[in-house]
Amino acid sequence: MRTAPLQRLKAAIITSMVLGLTACASPVSRDAITVKLEGLKTNPHSVSVATQGGTETSAMTGTHLSDQELKAAIEASIAKSELFQSVVQGKDGDYLLTVTVTRMDRPMFGLDLMVEMEAGWVLSKVSDKSVVMRKVVKSSFTATFSDAFAAVTRLRLAVEGVTRKNIEEGLKAVSEASL
């Protein structure tokens, strides 16, 4: 007779532990994915940034990268790195940088969570719509159990890390383009 209540108690404890470990997903931090690169070629032009292919974070799907956060982080990274004279909104810049996330592979579970990202970076001149630079940037980042106990936190750290690396490589490619 005492077995049923004891089994229910064990089930409740296990459920609480699982819920505690999976907790709610949190979106990436813009500050965590913004980079400042030294030694990039400074361009005396303005640039606007457009992003696509991102996905909003939700409790059901976990941490993702939204277009808005990616755009804001790229704009802030360009400004901090002084890659262009100015970053403008809309399509009023001398150049348009379009970044399209084509793949974001995220694990479902594990102690070490490796996220892989692929994004197409295209820099075009607004006046004649000519493509100045086109590059596919692939990056990966692993967040380990020592980085964070909770899997949702490790996943967010891995998404932030892979995004930061992708932005670094993308901006280096833009810097090397002949404008």
Short mmCIF file of all heavy atoms in Angstrom, two decimals, residues 98-155:
data_model
loop_
_atom_site.label_atom_id
_atom_site.label_comp_id
_atom_site.label_asym_id
_atom_site.label_seq_id
_atom_site.Cartn_x
_atom_site.Cartn_y
_atom_site.Cartn_z
N THR A 98 24.16 42.00 -46.63
CA THR A 98 23.07 41.07 -46.37
C THR A 98 23.66 39.78 -45.82
O THR A 98 24.54 39.18 -46.44
CB THR A 98 22.28 40.76 -47.66
OG1 THR A 98 21.84 41.99 -48.23
CG2 THR A 98 21.09 39.87 -47.38
N VAL A 99 23.17 39.38 -44.65
CA VAL A 99 23.64 38.14 -44.02
C VAL A 99 22.44 37.21 -43.89
O VAL A 99 21.43 37.56 -43.27
CB VAL A 99 24.27 38.42 -42.64
CG1 VAL A 99 24.74 37.12 -41.99
CG2 VAL A 99 25.42 39.41 -42.77
N THR A 100 22.57 36.03 -44.50
CA THR A 100 21.50 35.05 -44.49
C THR A 100 21.95 33.79 -43.76
O THR A 100 22.91 33.13 -44.20
CB THR A 100 21.09 34.68 -45.93
OG1 THR A 100 20.74 35.88 -46.63
CG2 THR A 100 19.91 33.72 -45.94
N VAL A 101 21.29 33.48 -42.66
CA VAL A 101 21.59 32.24 -41.93
C VAL A 101 20.95 31.11 -42.73
O VAL A 101 19.73 31.07 -42.89
CB VAL A 101 21.05 32.28 -40.49
CG1 VAL A 101 21.31 30.95 -39.79
CG2 VAL A 101 21.67 33.43 -39.71
N THR A 102 21.78 30.21 -43.25
CA THR A 102 21.26 29.11 -44.05
C THR A 102 21.18 27.81 -43.26
O THR A 102 20.44 26.91 -43.64
CB THR A 102 22.12 28.89 -45.30
OG1 THR A 102 23.48 28.68 -44.90
CG2 THR A 102 22.04 30.08 -46.24
N ARG A 103 21.95 27.72 -42.18
CA ARG A 103 21.94 26.50 -41.38
C ARG A 103 22.37 26.80 -39.96
O ARG A 103 23.35 27.53 -39.75
CB ARG A 103 22.88 25.47 -42.00
CG ARG A 103 22.87 24.11 -41.33
CD ARG A 103 23.73 23.10 -42.10
NE ARG A 103 25.13 23.46 -42.17
CZ ARG A 103 26.04 23.14 -41.25
NH1 ARG A 103 25.70 22.46 -40.19
NH2 ARG A 103 27.29 23.50 -41.41
N MET A 104 21.63 26.26 -39.00
CA MET A 104 22.01 26.34 -37.59
C MET A 104 21.67 24.99 -36.99
O MET A 104 20.51 24.69 -36.72
CB MET A 104 21.25 27.47 -36.88
CG MET A 104 21.49 27.56 -35.39
SD MET A 104 22.98 28.44 -34.87
CE MET A 104 22.52 30.13 -35.17
N ASP A 105 22.70 24.14 -36.85
CA ASP A 105 22.50 22.81 -36.27
C ASP A 105 22.76 22.86 -34.79
O ASP A 105 23.87 23.21 -34.35
CB ASP A 105 23.45 21.79 -36.94
CG ASP A 105 23.10 21.54 -38.39
OD1 ASP A 105 21.93 21.75 -38.77
OD2 ASP A 105 24.00 21.13 -39.14
N ARG A 106 21.73 22.50 -34.02
CA ARG A 106 21.81 22.53 -32.56
C ARG A 106 21.47 21.15 -32.03
O ARG A 106 20.52 20.53 -32.49
CB ARG A 106 20.81 23.53 -31.99
CG ARG A 106 21.00 24.93 -32.51
CD ARG A 106 19.83 25.87 -32.20
NE ARG A 106 18.54 25.24 -32.30
CZ ARG A 106 17.74 25.00 -31.24
NH1 ARG A 106 18.09 25.36 -30.05
NH2 ARG A 106 16.59 24.41 -31.41
N PRO A 107 22.21 20.66 -31.04
CA PRO A 107 21.91 19.35 -30.47
C PRO A 107 20.67 19.39 -29.59
O PRO A 107 20.29 20.45 -29.08
CB PRO A 107 23.15 19.02 -29.65
CG PRO A 107 23.66 20.36 -29.24
CD PRO A 107 23.36 21.28 -30.40
N MET A 108 20.04 18.26 -29.43
CA MET A 108 18.86 18.17 -28.56
C MET A 108 19.27 18.02 -27.10
O MET A 108 18.59 18.51 -26.21
CB MET A 108 18.00 16.97 -28.98
CG MET A 108 17.40 17.12 -30.37
SD MET A 108 16.30 18.52 -30.51
CE MET A 108 14.93 17.94 -29.53
N PHE A 109 20.36 17.31 -26.84
CA PHE A 109 20.81 17.09 -25.47
C PHE A 109 22.28 16.69 -25.49
O PHE A 109 22.84 16.43 -26.54
CB PHE A 109 19.97 16.01 -24.77
CG PHE A 109 19.93 14.72 -25.53
CD1 PHE A 109 20.91 13.75 -25.34
CD2 PHE A 109 18.91 14.46 -26.44
CE1 PHE A 109 20.88 12.57 -26.05
CE2 PHE A 109 18.88 13.27 -27.15
CZ PHE A 109 19.86 12.32 -26.96
N GLY A 110 22.89 16.66 -24.31
CA GLY A 110 24.28 16.24 -24.19
C GLY A 110 25.00 17.06 -23.14
O GLY A 110 24.51 18.10 -22.70
N LEU A 111 26.15 16.57 -22.74
CA LEU A 111 26.96 17.32 -21.78
C LEU A 111 27.71 18.45 -22.48
O LEU A 111 27.75 19.56 -22.00
CB LEU A 111 27.94 16.39 -21.06
CG LEU A 111 27.31 15.38 -20.11
CD1 LEU A 111 28.38 14.52 -19.47
CD2 LEU A 111 26.49 16.09 -19.04
N ASP A 112 28.32 18.14 -23.61
CA ASP A 112 28.96 19.15 -24.43
C ASP A 112 28.05 19.42 -25.62
O ASP A 112 27.71 18.49 -26.35
CB ASP A 112 30.33 18.68 -24.92
CG ASP A 112 31.33 18.53 -23.78
OD1 ASP A 112 31.06 19.03 -22.67
OD2 ASP A 112 32.38 17.90 -24.00
N LEU A 113 27.67 20.66 -25.80
CA LEU A 113 26.73 21.02 -26.87
C LEU A 113 27.46 21.81 -27.95
O LEU A 113 27.88 22.94 -27.73
CB LEU A 113 25.57 21.83 -26.31
CG LEU A 113 24.76 21.16 -25.20
CD1 LEU A 113 23.65 22.09 -24.72
CD2 LEU A 113 24.17 19.85 -25.67
N MET A 114 27.60 21.18 -29.13
CA MET A 114 28.25 21.85 -30.25
C MET A 114 27.18 22.34 -31.23
O MET A 114 26.32 21.58 -31.64
CB MET A 114 29.20 20.91 -30.99
CG MET A 114 29.92 21.63 -32.13
SD MET A 114 31.18 20.65 -32.95
CE MET A 114 30.16 19.66 -34.03
N VAL A 115 27.28 23.62 -31.56
CA VAL A 115 26.36 24.22 -32.52
C VAL A 115 27.18 24.59 -33.76
O VAL A 115 28.29 25.12 -33.65
CB VAL A 115 25.67 25.47 -31.93
CG1 VAL A 115 24.83 26.18 -32.97
CG2 VAL A 115 24.82 25.09 -30.73
N GLU A 116 26.62 24.29 -34.93
CA GLU A 116 27.26 24.64 -36.20
C GLU A 116 26.36 25.62 -36.93
O GLU A 116 25.14 25.47 -36.93
CB GLU A 116 27.49 23.40 -37.04
CG GLU A 116 28.49 22.44 -36.41
CD GLU A 116 28.69 21.19 -37.23
OE1 GLU A 116 27.69 20.60 -37.69
OE2 GLU A 116 29.86 20.81 -37.40
N MET A 117 26.98 26.61 -37.55
CA MET A 117 26.24 27.66 -38.25
C MET A 117 26.86 27.90 -39.62
O MET A 117 28.08 27.85 -39.77
CB MET A 117 26.27 28.94 -37.43
CG MET A 117 25.60 30.13 -38.05
SD MET A 117 25.75 31.55 -36.92
CE MET A 117 24.97 32.82 -37.88
N GLU A 118 26.00 28.16 -40.57
CA GLU A 118 26.45 28.55 -41.91
C GLU A 118 25.63 29.77 -42.32
O GLU A 118 24.41 29.77 -42.19
CB GLU A 118 26.21 27.40 -42.88
CG GLU A 118 26.73 27.65 -44.27
CD GLU A 118 26.58 26.42 -45.14
OE1 GLU A 118 27.26 25.41 -44.86
OE2 GLU A 118 25.77 26.47 -46.08
N ALA A 119 26.33 30.79 -42.79
CA ALA A 119 25.64 32.02 -43.21
C ALA A 119 26.29 32.55 -44.47
O ALA A 119 27.51 32.49 -44.64
CB ALA A 119 25.70 33.07 -42.11
N GLY A 120 25.45 33.06 -45.36
CA GLY A 120 25.93 33.70 -46.58
C GLY A 120 26.08 35.20 -46.33
O GLY A 120 25.14 35.84 -45.87
N TRP A 121 27.25 35.73 -46.61
CA TRP A 121 27.55 37.15 -46.44
C TRP A 121 27.70 37.76 -47.83
O TRP A 121 28.56 37.32 -48.60
CB TRP A 121 28.83 37.34 -45.64
CG TRP A 121 28.70 37.02 -44.18
CD1 TRP A 121 28.49 35.79 -43.63
CD2 TRP A 121 28.77 37.94 -43.09
NE1 TRP A 121 28.42 35.89 -42.26
CE2 TRP A 121 28.59 37.20 -41.91
CE3 TRP A 121 28.96 39.31 -43.01
CZ2 TRP A 121 28.60 37.79 -40.65
CZ3 TRP A 121 28.98 39.90 -41.76
CH2 TRP A 121 28.79 39.15 -40.59
N VAL A 122 26.88 38.76 -48.15
CA VAL A 122 26.94 39.42 -49.45
C VAL A 122 27.01 40.92 -49.23
O VAL A 122 26.15 41.50 -48.57
CB VAL A 122 25.71 39.07 -50.32
CG1 VAL A 122 25.78 39.81 -51.65
CG2 VAL A 122 25.59 37.57 -50.53
N LEU A 123 28.04 41.53 -49.78
CA LEU A 123 28.19 42.99 -49.73
C LEU A 123 27.99 43.51 -51.14
O LEU A 123 28.67 43.08 -52.08
CB LEU A 123 29.58 43.38 -49.22
CG LEU A 123 29.85 44.88 -49.09
CD1 LEU A 123 28.97 45.49 -48.00
CD2 LEU A 123 31.33 45.13 -48.79
N SER A 124 27.03 44.41 -51.29
CA SER A 124 26.76 44.96 -52.62
C SER A 124 26.74 46.48 -52.58
O SER A 124 26.42 47.08 -51.55
CB SER A 124 25.44 44.41 -53.19
OG SER A 124 24.39 44.63 -52.28
N LYS A 125 27.09 47.06 -53.71
CA LYS A 125 27.09 48.52 -53.85
C LYS A 125 25.66 48.92 -54.18
O LYS A 125 25.06 48.40 -55.12
CB LYS A 125 28.05 48.92 -54.96
CG LYS A 125 28.34 50.38 -55.00
CD LYS A 125 29.48 50.66 -55.97
CE LYS A 125 29.84 52.14 -55.89
NZ LYS A 125 30.98 52.45 -56.76
N VAL A 126 25.10 49.84 -53.42
CA VAL A 126 23.69 50.22 -53.58
C VAL A 126 23.44 50.91 -54.91
O VAL A 126 22.45 50.65 -55.58
CB VAL A 126 23.22 51.09 -52.38
CG1 VAL A 126 21.83 51.63 -52.62
CG2 VAL A 126 23.28 50.29 -51.09
N SER A 127 24.36 51.77 -55.34
CA SER A 127 24.13 52.59 -56.54
C SER A 127 23.90 51.76 -57.81
O SER A 127 23.03 52.09 -58.60
CB SER A 127 25.30 53.56 -56.76
OG SER A 127 26.49 52.83 -56.98
N ASP A 128 24.65 50.69 -57.99
CA ASP A 128 24.47 49.89 -59.20
C ASP A 128 24.13 48.41 -58.90
O ASP A 128 24.10 47.59 -59.81
CB ASP A 128 25.70 49.98 -60.10
CG ASP A 128 26.95 49.43 -59.44
OD1 ASP A 128 26.89 48.91 -58.30
OD2 ASP A 128 28.03 49.52 -60.07
N LYS A 129 23.91 48.11 -57.63
CA LYS A 129 23.54 46.76 -57.18
C LYS A 129 24.59 45.69 -57.51
O LYS A 129 24.29 44.51 -57.55
CB LYS A 129 22.18 46.35 -57.74
CG LYS A 129 21.05 47.22 -57.27
CD LYS A 129 19.72 46.69 -57.73
CE LYS A 129 18.52 47.48 -57.38
NZ LYS A 129 18.49 48.60 -56.62
N SER A 130 25.82 46.11 -57.76
CA SER A 130 26.89 45.15 -58.05
C SER A 130 27.36 44.47 -56.76
O SER A 130 27.44 45.09 -55.71
CB SER A 130 28.07 45.84 -58.74
OG SER A 130 28.63 46.82 -57.88
N VAL A 131 27.65 43.19 -56.87
CA VAL A 131 28.12 42.42 -55.71
C VAL A 131 29.62 42.61 -55.60
O VAL A 131 30.38 42.34 -56.53
CB VAL A 131 27.76 40.92 -55.86
CG1 VAL A 131 28.39 40.11 -54.74
CG2 VAL A 131 26.26 40.74 -55.87
N VAL A 132 30.04 43.10 -54.45
CA VAL A 132 31.45 43.38 -54.19
C VAL A 132 32.12 42.18 -53.53
O VAL A 132 33.27 41.87 -53.79
CB VAL A 132 31.59 44.63 -53.29
CG1 VAL A 132 33.04 44.89 -52.95
CG2 VAL A 132 30.96 45.83 -53.96
N MET A 133 31.36 41.49 -52.66
CA MET A 133 31.91 40.35 -51.93
C MET A 133 30.78 39.37 -51.65
O MET A 133 29.67 39.77 -51.33
CB MET A 133 32.52 40.80 -50.61
CG MET A 133 33.21 39.69 -49.85
SD MET A 133 32.81 39.45 -48.11
CE MET A 133 31.09 39.54 -47.93
N ARG A 134 31.10 38.10 -51.82
CA ARG A 134 30.15 37.04 -51.50
C ARG A 134 30.94 35.92 -50.84
O ARG A 134 31.93 35.45 -51.41
CB ARG A 134 29.47 36.53 -52.75
CG ARG A 134 28.45 35.45 -52.49
CD ARG A 134 27.77 35.06 -53.75
NE ARG A 134 27.23 36.30 -54.32
CZ ARG A 134 26.32 36.37 -55.25
NH1 ARG A 134 25.84 35.29 -55.77
NH2 ARG A 134 25.89 37.52 -55.71
N LYS A 135 30.49 35.50 -49.66
CA LYS A 135 31.23 34.44 -48.96
C LYS A 135 30.27 33.65 -48.09
O LYS A 135 29.39 34.22 -47.44
CB LYS A 135 32.34 35.04 -48.10
CG LYS A 135 33.13 33.98 -47.36
CD LYS A 135 34.38 34.53 -46.74
CE LYS A 135 35.10 33.38 -46.06
NZ LYS A 135 36.49 33.52 -46.02
N VAL A 136 30.47 32.35 -48.07
CA VAL A 136 29.76 31.48 -47.14
C VAL A 136 30.68 31.29 -45.94
O VAL A 136 31.83 30.87 -46.09
CB VAL A 136 29.42 30.11 -47.77
CG1 VAL A 136 28.82 29.18 -46.74
CG2 VAL A 136 28.47 30.30 -48.95
N VAL A 137 30.18 31.64 -44.77
CA VAL A 137 30.97 31.52 -43.55
C VAL A 137 30.39 30.38 -42.71
O VAL A 137 29.22 30.40 -42.36
CB VAL A 137 30.96 32.84 -42.74
CG1 VAL A 137 31.73 32.68 -41.45
CG2 VAL A 137 31.53 33.98 -43.58
N LYS A 138 31.25 29.41 -42.43
CA LYS A 138 30.86 28.28 -41.58
C LYS A 138 31.61 28.39 -40.27
O LYS A 138 32.81 28.68 -40.25
CB LYS A 138 31.22 26.95 -42.26
CG LYS A 138 30.49 26.71 -43.55
CD LYS A 138 30.94 25.41 -44.20
CE LYS A 138 30.23 25.22 -45.53
NZ LYS A 138 30.63 23.97 -46.19
N SER A 139 30.89 28.17 -39.18
CA SER A 139 31.53 28.24 -37.87
C SER A 139 30.91 27.19 -36.95
O SER A 139 29.81 26.70 -37.19
CB SER A 139 31.39 29.65 -37.27
OG SER A 139 30.03 30.04 -37.23
N SER A 140 31.66 26.85 -35.91
CA SER A 140 31.14 25.93 -34.90
C SER A 140 31.66 26.37 -33.53
O SER A 140 32.68 27.05 -33.43
CB SER A 140 31.57 24.49 -35.20
OG SER A 140 32.96 24.35 -35.09
N PHE A 141 30.93 25.99 -32.51
CA PHE A 141 31.30 26.35 -31.14
C PHE A 141 30.72 25.31 -30.20
O PHE A 141 29.58 24.89 -30.37
CB PHE A 141 30.78 27.74 -30.78
CG PHE A 141 31.27 28.25 -29.45
CD1 PHE A 141 32.46 28.96 -29.37
CD2 PHE A 141 30.57 28.00 -28.29
CE1 PHE A 141 32.93 29.42 -28.15
CE2 PHE A 141 31.02 28.46 -27.06
CZ PHE A 141 32.21 29.17 -26.99
N THR A 142 31.50 24.91 -29.21
CA THR A 142 31.05 23.92 -28.23
C THR A 142 31.03 24.54 -26.85
O THR A 142 32.03 25.10 -26.40
CB THR A 142 31.98 22.69 -28.24
OG1 THR A 142 32.01 22.14 -29.54
CG2 THR A 142 31.50 21.65 -27.24
N ALA A 143 29.89 24.44 -26.18
CA ALA A 143 29.76 24.82 -24.78
C ALA A 143 29.78 23.53 -23.97
O ALA A 143 29.04 22.60 -24.29
CB ALA A 143 28.48 25.60 -24.53
N THR A 144 30.63 23.49 -22.96
CA THR A 144 30.80 22.27 -22.18
C THR A 144 30.04 22.32 -20.87
O THR A 144 29.57 23.39 -20.44
CB THR A 144 32.28 22.02 -21.89
OG1 THR A 144 32.77 23.07 -21.04
CG2 THR A 144 33.11 21.97 -23.17
N PHE A 145 29.94 21.17 -20.24
CA PHE A 145 29.26 21.06 -18.95
C PHE A 145 29.93 21.98 -17.92
O PHE A 145 29.26 22.51 -17.05
CB PHE A 145 29.28 19.60 -18.47
CG PHE A 145 28.48 19.37 -17.23
CD1 PHE A 145 27.10 19.35 -17.26
CD2 PHE A 145 29.11 19.16 -16.02
CE1 PHE A 145 26.35 19.13 -16.13
CE2 PHE A 145 28.38 18.95 -14.87
CZ PHE A 145 26.99 18.93 -14.92
N SER A 146 31.24 22.20 -18.06
CA SER A 146 31.92 23.10 -17.12
C SER A 146 31.57 24.57 -17.35
O SER A 146 31.74 25.40 -16.47
CB SER A 146 33.43 22.90 -17.18
OG SER A 146 33.92 23.27 -18.45
N ASP A 147 31.02 24.89 -18.54
CA ASP A 147 30.59 26.26 -18.81
C ASP A 147 29.29 26.59 -18.09
O ASP A 147 29.09 27.72 -17.66
CB ASP A 147 30.39 26.48 -20.32
CG ASP A 147 31.69 26.42 -21.09
OD1 ASP A 147 32.73 26.84 -20.55
OD2 ASP A 147 31.67 25.93 -22.24
N ALA A 148 28.40 25.60 -18.02
CA ALA A 148 27.10 25.80 -17.36
C ALA A 148 26.48 24.44 -17.03
O ALA A 148 26.55 23.52 -17.84
CB ALA A 148 26.16 26.60 -18.25
N PHE A 149 25.86 24.35 -15.88
CA PHE A 149 25.22 23.11 -15.45
C PHE A 149 23.94 22.84 -16.24
O PHE A 149 23.72 21.75 -16.73
CB PHE A 149 24.90 23.19 -13.95
CG PHE A 149 24.11 22.03 -13.43
CD1 PHE A 149 24.71 20.79 -13.29
CD2 PHE A 149 22.77 22.17 -13.11
CE1 PHE A 149 23.99 19.70 -12.83
CE2 PHE A 149 22.04 21.09 -12.64
CZ PHE A 149 22.65 19.85 -12.49
N ALA A 150 23.12 23.87 -16.41
CA ALA A 150 21.83 23.70 -17.09
C ALA A 150 22.03 23.62 -18.60
O ALA A 150 22.74 24.43 -19.20
CB ALA A 150 20.90 24.87 -16.76
N ALA A 151 21.40 22.63 -19.22
CA ALA A 151 21.53 22.42 -20.67
C ALA A 151 21.05 23.63 -21.46
O ALA A 151 21.64 23.97 -22.48
CB ALA A 151 20.77 21.17 -21.09
N VAL A 152 19.98 24.30 -21.01
CA VAL A 152 19.48 25.45 -21.75
C VAL A 152 20.49 26.59 -21.75
O VAL A 152 20.63 27.31 -22.73
CB VAL A 152 18.11 25.95 -21.22
CG1 VAL A 152 17.03 24.94 -21.50
CG2 VAL A 152 18.17 26.29 -19.76
N THR A 153 21.22 26.72 -20.66
CA THR A 153 22.25 27.75 -20.59
C THR A 153 23.42 27.38 -21.51
O THR A 153 23.94 28.23 -22.23
CB THR A 153 22.74 27.95 -19.15
OG1 THR A 153 21.63 28.25 -18.32
CG2 THR A 153 23.77 29.06 -19.06
N ARG A 154 23.82 26.11 -21.50
CA ARG A 154 24.89 25.66 -22.40
C ARG A 154 24.50 25.87 -23.86
O ARG A 154 25.32 26.29 -24.67
CB ARG A 154 25.23 24.18 -22.16
CG ARG A 154 26.06 23.92 -20.93
CD ARG A 154 26.68 22.53 -20.91
NE ARG A 154 25.78 21.44 -21.19
CZ ARG A 154 24.96 20.87 -20.30
NH1 ARG A 154 24.91 21.34 -19.07
NH2 ARG A 154 24.19 19.86 -20.65
N LEU A 155 23.25 25.60 -24.18
CA LEU A 155 22.79 25.80 -25.56
C LEU A 155 22.86 27.27 -25.94
O LEU A 155 23.33 27.63 -27.02
CB LEU A 155 21.37 25.26 -25.75
CG LEU A 155 20.81 25.41 -27.17
CD1 LEU A 155 21.69 24.70 -28.19
CD2 LEU A 155 19.39 24.89 -27.22
#
